[in-house]
Amino acid sequence: MTSRIMTVLLVWFSFIFLSSAKEISVMAYNVHNYFVVPETEKPKGDDSKKALMGMIKNSNPDILFVVELGGEKSLADLMENLKKAGCKDYVFSDEMTGEDESRHIGLISKFRPVKVEKKENLYYKIKPKDRQDGYPEKVFVQRGFLHAVFEFENNYRLHVVGAHLKSRLPHPRYIQTDMRRYEARLLRYLVNQIQENEPEANILVVGDFNDVYSSDPMITLRAPEKSPENRLYDLRPVDRNGMAWTHWWHSEDIYGRIDYAMASSSLLPEIKFEKTQVVHLPEYWMFASDHRPVLVTISTENARPLGKETIDKDFPDGVCASYKTTDKKKNLAANGNPETLPVLFFDTGGYSIELPAERKKEIFEQVARNKADIFVFTGIKDAKAMDEIMDRLNGCVFKEMVEGADRESHIAVFAKIKPEKFEAMTDVKYKIEDKELPVSRGFAHAVFNVKGYKFHLLAADLKDRQQHPEYNQTDMRRYEARQLRYLVNDISKAEPGSNILVVGNLNDTCGKSPMKELYNRRSGIEKRLFDIRPLDPMNTSWTCWNSATDDYERIDYALASFSMISEIARDRTCVIYSDDWKKASVHRPFIVNLYCTDSDKPLKENLDKTYPYCIYSGEAAHFEEDMEIGDKPERNGPVDPVDE
């Protein structure tokens, strides 16, 4: 009788816990302050919730790990909204928090885990930043770690470990980078414990880790010093266009990768890479959150481990090397039309006649995607390179180059219409620490008159972000931007109400001081420059990929004067995208189309709405800065130095 009861119980538990799914998907998503009343005075808006449900429903993940969730009431609200959206198969939900009492970690699943472990009391010791010679203090992990174990048929076990590491916001007492590094170390210790207890464990570590892949916290997690079977491997999912970014920092217009999925070596052969991706829905993502979710698909059958040669080839430095796109459809920008004048800008990243033929081919394929009439190129090595480009641009009747102090990189302007005037401004100088320096690459100034419509085109390539042996490179760029602003002022004084278009690689993000110099927000509206901010077909604005950090930044700009802003054809102004953009340059070109007719000047209230802070917003949702409400530097006071 007893044995019969035990058999029934075993069958019953197997029915509850063991799943017959042959393939499962795990989504990690920062849902951006999913709070409800009364847990907060600023609940997540209904429109944002609807967009969030659209993002989740589109992928229909089997296991959903979320961060920036409120408490139990917020989790219940999220579950209710998922059901209303048609996601009715979730049978398990739980949440936890660490020291940050406002932002919790949540787990939602279509399968009941056999084990859930909440690491909410982990701590490390760190010295206050203002007392580096003092005693270390005990600091608890801000949001804790959540460890869930799932079991499937064929004895397949999956460990899912979720985390939300310390943000990059400054902490009042400790250095935030050190806090994140210590949290990553404790997370790595948890992975080590799992591997010690279960040497061939299938481990998936997911979450918002708030740092770039080359940072100390990420290297700590990957643990390249360990043997290959004990390392974690960065899966680096990409979207359908090959982009890996997961977070949009709107105040700087930077698209960065700070959300991760890392797998143990035992799990790697079961990853379905063709179904592992960063989820992007242009109509939803920016309204749902400032993050994009990461989706990992796994086969629930133990596969033969990958060999060392395969791992070394596919995961150099522990990071997936597959940068291929998953959608071969070309997203082409719209061509110009007779009613508009297309102006194209492209930083070629160093064009010379010695450039490989394949790269030249890709550069001109991108240029040919739009029938521009005026072309501005930066990164041109010399006059021979300019002549070669001229030969490849059909129909151009004008070419000029600005040969500044930097002899290796120049600005070149090409056009199918001759300008009334062209100035190669190479003698512009500024003072820094009482020494006079030239603007490194000068400025180009061309005046065009198209059937009575007159406009000034200014082109620049400001100081790059490489360190200078004597001066601060940011200050140098700011002074160069100021000289460019003076040039705009001179034109405006000589011709009040003039139409001015500024294009170029300005080598900084929109929130930094060089750009603030150019926007000139403190002046009257008629004296400002407005950031046109072209968008690509995915509603993103980045123009340059930083391979060192895996960030996608907007450092190439088109700025228009108040008099000209109404003459920008927004529906024909865009960043040009192609699947093979990296083969041409780390920069992407953009095109601005102009209605060559003087229009009525916009009303201030309309400009404030469309160009908040002088920057085109499009349909972007501008999120509030992430404030860590629950930061508590100490729970039990200072720790004695002998306390272990």
Side-chain angles (χ1 to χ4, degrees):
M1 183 68 178
T2 303
S3 62
R4 183 180 298 176
I5 293 173
M6 290 298 295
T7 302
V8 171
L9 286 174
L10 284 172
V11 172
W12 184 72
F13 276 108
S14 297
F15 176 76
I16 290 179
F17 293 122
L18 297 184
S19 169
S20 60
K22 300 299 182 184
E23 192 174 277
I24 64 164
S25 58
V26 181
M27 175 183 280
Y29 201 175
N30 183 319
V31 293
H32 188 73
N33 295 345
Y34 197 109
F35 304 149
V36 299
V37 176
E39 293 175 341
T40 182
E41 294 180 357
K42 292 184 177 181
K44 193 171 184 70
D46 290 340
D47 289 342
S48 183
K49 287 181 182 179
K50 289 178 182 177
L52 188 72
M53 296 310 113
M55 292 289 290
I56 296 172
K57 182 181 179 181
N58 178 264
S59 299
N60 192 24
D62 297 307
I63 300 171
L64 174 62
F65 173 79
V66 296
V67 301
E68 287 202 16
L69 179 72
E72 294 179 358
K73 290 182 173 61
S74 296
L75 177 60
D77 185 82
L78 175 57
M79 291 294 291
E80 181 64 26
N81 279 308
L82 284 171
K83 288 181 181 178
K84 289 179 181 178
C87 303
K88 301 178 180 180
D89 298 329
Y90 294 113
V91 298
F92 175 85
S93 64
D94 201 357
E95 55 85 25
M96 66 157 290
T97 187
E99 191 69 3
D100 184 342
E101 296 175 351
S102 61
R103 285 172 175 78
H104 295 216
I105 291 173
L107 179 67
I108 299 171
S109 176
K110 296 178 182 179
F111 322 113
R112 295 187 183 277
V114 296
K115 175 184 177 182
V116 175
E117 187 179 15
K118 299 178 182 180
K119 298 289 188 178
E120 52 196 359
N121 290 307
L122 297 176
Y123 68 89
Y124 52 90
K125 298 173 186 178
I126 187 173
K127 294 180 180 180
K129 55 187 174 184
D130 59 346
R131 289 193 287 113
Q132 288 296 304
D133 57 346
Y135 291 153
E137 297 175 353
K138 180 185 290 187
V139 178
F140 286 81
V141 173
Q142 294 285 289
R143 290 118 187 173
F145 308 137
L146 195 152
H147 172 209
V149 182
F150 296 88
E151 289 188 351
F152 301 87
E153 291 183 348
N154 302 321
N155 297 318
Y156 190 87
R157 281 168 60 89
L158 175 67
H159 297 258
V160 178
V161 180
H164 184 194
L165 301 188
K166 169 72 182 79
S167 78
R168 287 186 271 190
L169 289 171
H171 190 278
R173 192 170 181 82
Y174 310 108
I175 298 173
Q176 52 91 7
T177 51
D178 289 342
M179 295 176 71
R180 191 162 51 256
R181 180 162 51 86
Y182 282 120
E183 289 192 354
R185 185 177 298 175
L186 290 172
L187 181 57
R188 179 67 228 194
Y189 289 163
L190 174 57
V191 173
N192 293 346
Q193 290 172 4
I194 296 171
Q195 291 179 326
E196 287 172 5
N197 296 329
E198 198 175 324
E200 296 182 356
N202 298 310
I203 306 171
L204 181 67
V205 181
V206 296
D208 177 358
F209 298 158
N210 271 312
D211 224 328
V212 298
Y213 81 98
S214 55
S215 65
D216 285 344
M218 296 303 101
I219 294 173
T220 296
L221 282 172
R222 295 198 300 270
E225 74 282 356
K226 290 182 175 290
S227 59
E229 61 271 16
N230 289 322
R231 298 172 190 168
L232 285 178
Y233 295 89
D234 184 351
L235 300 182
R236 194 181 183 271
V238 296
D239 62 25
R240 66 177 183 269
N241 291 313
M243 305 293 108
W245 64 269
T246 63
H247 174 250
W248 176 46
W249 185 13
H250 71 87
S251 61
E252 295 291 340
D253 221 357
I254 294 176
Y255 302 80
R257 185 165 76 97
I258 61 175
D259 303 89
Y260 292 82
M262 296 185 174
S264 62
S265 63
S266 299
L267 182 61
L268 283 181
E270 287 117 45
I271 300 293
K272 297 288 186 179
F273 284 94
E274 70 278 7
K275 296 181 181 180
T276 294
Q277 60 182 300
V278 173
V279 179
H280 185 91
L281 299 176
E283 66 273 27
Y284 287 136
W285 77 268
M286 69 175 65
F287 301 107
S289 172
D290 52 349
H291 291 249
R292 299 195 299 177
V294 170
L295 185 74
V296 180
T297 304
I298 301 168
S299 170
T300 58
E301 293 185 7
N302 287 303
R304 185 177 180 179
L306 299 180
K308 184 179 183 301
E309 289 185 3
T310 301
I311 290 179
D312 289 344
K313 177 184 176 183
D314 294 343
F315 291 86
D317 299 319
V319 181
C320 183
S322 176
Y323 301 114
K324 296 179 181 178
T325 63
T326 55
D327 184 355
K328 294 301 179 183
K329 181 180 178 181
K330 302 288 184 181
N331 289 293
L332 306 184
N335 288 329
N337 67 35
E339 298 177 356
T340 61
L341 178 75
V343 179
L344 182 143
F345 172 79
F346 195 2
D347 187 312
T348 61
Y351 189 99
S352 68
I353 59 173
E354 293 85 13
L355 209 64
E358 181 64 23
R359 188 174 165 195
K360 290 181 182 179
K361 176 186 174 184
E362 293 297 336
I363 287 174
F364 288 103
E365 279 191 2
Q366 292 201 37
V367 171
R369 294 180 189 281
N370 290 76
K371 298 177 181 178
D373 290 330
I374 299 173
F375 305 83
V376 178
F377 291 86
T378 55
I380 306 302
K381 185 176 181 180
D382 51 31
K384 291 182 179 179
M386 178 183 66
D387 291 340
E388 184 174 89
I389 292 173
M390 183 70 171
D391 292 338
R392 302 286 291 270
L393 296 176
N394 296 327
C396 283
V397 297
F398 173 83
K399 65 174 181 180
E400 281 292 347
M401 190 169 72
V402 180
E403 299 186 64
D406 184 342
R407 311 309 296 177
E408 297 298 319
S409 182
H410 304 94
I411 302 168
V413 178
F414 307 86
K416 296 179 181 179
I417 51 176
K418 288 187 177 181
E420 288 185 346
K421 173 185 176 183
F422 181 85
E423 290 181 280
M425 309 187 73
T426 58
D427 58 350
V428 182
K429 297 180 180 180
Y430 61 92
K431 277 191 175 182
I432 183 170
E433 297 181 10
D434 294 326
K435 185 174 181 179
E436 197 171 63
L437 295 177
V439 171
S440 55
R441 298 174 185 112
F443 304 131
H445 176 206
V447 182
F448 291 91
N449 193 318
V450 182
K451 297 180 180 179
Y453 178 80
K454 182 179 179 181
F455 73 95
H456 297 257
L457 175 67
L458 298 177
D461 187 5
L462 300 189
K463 170 73 180 76
D464 59 38
R465 288 187 269 189
Q466 298 294 322
Q467 290 298 329
H468 190 275
E470 295 182 63
Y471 308 108
N472 183 291
Q473 50 92 6
T474 305
D475 289 341
M476 295 175 71
R477 191 161 51 255
R478 179 162 53 88
Y479 283 121
E480 290 193 355
R482 185 173 297 175
Q483 297 304 313
L484 181 57
R485 179 69 231 192
Y486 289 161
L487 177 56
V488 172
N489 294 347
D490 290 342
I491 295 171
S492 298
K493 287 178 182 178
E495 296 180 27
S498 52
N499 300 312
I500 305 172
L501 178 66
V502 180
V503 298
N505 177 3
L506 305 183
N507 268 311
D508 229 327
T509 55
C510 61
K512 295 295 189 292
S513 56
M515 296 309 304
K516 292 178 181 178
E517 293 272 356
L518 287 166
Y519 296 146
N520 198 22
R521 294 170 183 154
R522 295 182 180 179
S523 296
I525 194 168
E526 296 85 0
K527 296 181 180 179
R528 300 175 193 171
L529 285 177
F530 294 87
D531 189 342
I532 296 171
R533 191 174 177 260
L535 301 173
D536 64 14
M538 297 176 70
N539 277 344
T540 61
S541 60
W542 65 270
T543 61
C544 180
W545 176 53
N546 185 335
S547 60
T549 60
D550 220 359
D551 285 343
Y552 299 79
E553 303 175 323
R554 184 167 71 95
I555 62 174
D556 304 283
Y557 291 83
L559 312 175
S561 62
F562 171 76
S563 299
M564 195 180 199
I565 199 66
S566 295
E567 286 120 43
I568 304 297
R570 286 271 11 150
D571 60 335
R572 295 182 175 275
T573 293
C574 58
V575 175
I576 301 170
Y577 175 79
S578 77
D579 283 339
D580 298 320
W581 63 272
K582 282 184 186 174
K583 294 180 180 179
S585 172
V586 295
H587 292 256
R588 298 196 298 177
F590 64 75
I591 193 161
V592 177
N593 269 272
L594 308 176
Y595 292 116
C596 293
T597 179
D598 288 306
S599 305
D600 293 335
K601 302 312 174 221
L603 297 175
K604 183 180 184 301
E605 52 266 31
N606 292 339
L607 269 183
D608 288 342
K609 180 180 179 181
T610 310
Y611 288 84
Y613 306 105
C614 295
I615 302 171
Y616 178 70
S617 62
E619 297 179 347
H622 287 268
F623 299 95
E624 293 183 8
E625 293 297 332
D626 185 19
M627 301 302 294
E628 293 183 317
I629 303 168
D631 268 359
K632 292 184 179 179
E634 301 173 19
R635 184 182 293 184
N636 297 319
V639 177
D640 187 89
V642 298
D643 178 19
E644 293 300 320

